């Protein structure tokens, strides 16, 4: 699938999840970034206040679904931060090896690292040494 189609698919999934969140009290959609390295893709998802045991990741073809829940603070007087369940569906920006994800949660950021199906190969150009090969 090409990048413009994947980008549009991601926008539609995020919009759908936003509409679904309007029906309940407090659902939210955490912000996400994809990072690229030579051999891996890494997803960073902002989930402050979410406990590790409430997080569920489901990989389905070219999509990753992340679900979790953030509890409402006790004795809240006023609130702007959403709480409750969230579901975020993301399209992989590149092909990954199925079920290769490794996740960790630290400082409110969920980091999930996936092995690329086709690693990037860096090519370095070397200048021929003067006088070599003459």
């Amino acid at each position: 699938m090409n990048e413009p189609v994947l980008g549009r698919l991601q926008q539609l999934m995020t919009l759908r999840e936003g509409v679904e969140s309007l029906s309940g009290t407090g659902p939210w959609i955490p912000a996400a970034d994809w990072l690229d390295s030579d051999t891996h893709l890494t997803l960073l998802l902002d989930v402050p206040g979410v406990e590790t045991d409430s997080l569920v990741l489901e990989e389905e073809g070219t999509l990753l679904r992340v679900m979790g829940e953030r509890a409402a603070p006790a004795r809240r007087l006023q609130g702007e931060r959403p709480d409750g369940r969230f579901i975020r569906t993301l399209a992989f920006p590149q092909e990954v090896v199925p079920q290769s994800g490794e996740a960790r949660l630290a400082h409110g950021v969920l980091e999930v690292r996936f092995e690329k199906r086709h690693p990037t190969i860096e090519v370095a150009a070397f200048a021929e040494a003067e006088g070599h090969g003459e």
Side-chain angles (χ1 to χ4, degrees):
M1 205 177 276
N2 63 28
E3 289 185 30
V5 172
L6 284 175
R8 182 66 180 144
L9 179 61
Q10 176 64 46
Q11 289 174 336
L12 291 172
M13 288 184 297
T14 301
L15 180 61
R16 187 201 78 206
E17 291 163 357
V19 169
E20 288 175 355
S21 72
L22 296 174
S23 63
T25 56
W28 53 291
I29 300 173
D33 288 333
W34 282 105
L35 308 179
D36 183 18
S37 72
D38 293 342
T39 58
H40 290 80
L41 290 178
T42 302
L43 170 67
L44 300 177
L45 196 71
D46 290 343
V47 291
V50 174
E51 297 295 327
T52 306
D53 60 352
S54 81
L55 289 167
V56 176
L57 285 81
E58 295 176 350
E59 192 177 320
E60 192 174 310
T62 61
L63 302 176
L64 176 66
R65 183 172 295 114
V66 184
M67 298 166 278
E69 187 169 357
R70 178 166 56 197
R75 302 180 61 154
R76 176 168 45 193
L77 297 175
Q78 255 183 328
E80 292 183 4
R81 298 179 324 125
D83 54 62
R85 290 183 32 89
F86 74 86
I87 299 175
R88 182 78 198 261
T89 305
L90 301 143
F92 288 107
Q94 295 179 12
E95 286 187 68
V96 297
V97 174
Q99 306 302 314
S100 65
E102 296 177 5
R104 71 183 197 101
L105 179 64
H107 308 289
V109 178
L110 175 64
E111 180 178 322
V112 191
R113 191 168 179 248
F114 297 91
E115 185 179 342
K116 285 184 183 179
R117 182 175 294 268
H118 306 288
T120 305
I121 300 172
E122 293 293 326
V123 178
F126 295 99
E128 288 188 38
E130 287 185 35
H132 181 70
E134 291 181 17

